[in-house]
Amino acid sequence: RRVLFRSARAAMRALGAERADDPLRVGSSRAPQWPEGLVGSITHTQGFASAAVAAATALRGVGIDSEERFTLERARRLEGHLAHVGEVAALGRALGLEEAVAATLVFSLKESVFKCLHPLVDRPFGFHAARVEAGSSGRVTITLTEGLRSEEHTSELQSPCNLVCRLLLEKK
């Protein structure tokens, strides 16, 4: 966690944020509580840690995730938990990905959505709250399948939700 928070403070310094060296607090959901005026996200996997931070005046939320490629066994074990029926297979076909890679991508995208939106709605929601699809051009879209209300925000986050994701897939 220390490496993650060092990454977060480095991202805040790069943004020119005041109090970038202040300790980050951890909320009840184990997510970092960003200093006033900032939004951000952290992620890690074996040997890799990263953070993304933005001014709250520019973005309402940020969500990033990094994952090691799932094994085929893990992909099949988790598929019903993380995806709508046929979601992983359809994404795999559209993008020409192996099943395990498509499942990893669906998981990672939905984890990014959760990290982005959870601070705004301040309540848990599951993987089925979003659907990942790829169009014929290979562009991936994420659509919320349920409204997510927030007591703090008068608007409801509804489908379609405008999310920007940058994906890095490493071939092994």
Side-chain angles (χ1 to χ4, degrees), residues 4-21:
L4 284 173
F5 283 11
R6 273 198 303 268
S7 295
R9 284 191 293 278
M12 289 189 291
R13 279 193 296 278
L15 188 63
E18 295 178 21
R19 301 181 4 224
D21 292 316

Side-chain angles (χ1 to χ4, degrees), residues 5-81:
F5 283 11
R6 273 198 303 268
S7 295
R9 284 191 293 278
M12 289 189 291
R13 279 193 296 278
L15 188 63
E18 295 178 21
R19 301 181 4 224
D21 292 316
D22 288 359
L24 284 175
R25 308 239 183 272
V26 178
S28 60
S29 65
R30 296 180 21 141
Q33 294 181 318
W34 299 96
E36 180 90 19
L38 296 177
V39 293
S41 183
I42 58 176
T43 187
H44 67 94
T45 192
Q46 291 191 5
F48 175 79
S50 185
V53 179
T57 55
L59 298 174
R60 290 180 64 192
V62 174
I64 61 172
D65 187 55
S66 58
E67 297 295 330
E68 287 203 15
R69 182 187 298 198
F70 288 0
T71 63
L72 185 57
E73 177 186 329
R74 183 173 186 213
R76 289 181 175 164
R77 188 178 69 243
L78 292 177
E79 185 171 0
H81 173 68

Side-chain angles (χ1 to χ4, degrees), residues 101-167:
V101 175
T104 307
L105 182 57
V106 168
F107 177 85
S108 187
L109 288 168
K110 290 184 178 191
E111 192 69 15
S112 298
V113 168
F114 181 85
K115 290 177 179 184
C116 180
L117 298 181
H118 182 265
L120 297 172
V121 300
D122 197 29
R123 73 169 176 83
F125 55 92
F127 288 106
H128 288 94
R131 177 180 295 278
V132 177
E133 298 173 302
S136 59
S137 68
R139 183 179 177 151
V140 174
T141 59
I142 304 165
T143 305
L144 294 181
T145 58
E146 63 183 65
L148 299 173
R149 284 213 177 272
S150 167
E151 304 229 352
E152 289 182 25
H153 301 277
T154 55
S155 63
E156 184 173 353
L157 301 169
Q158 292 230 31
S159 171
C161 184
N162 294 321
L163 300 171
V164 177
C165 298
R166 183 168 183 202
L167 308 175

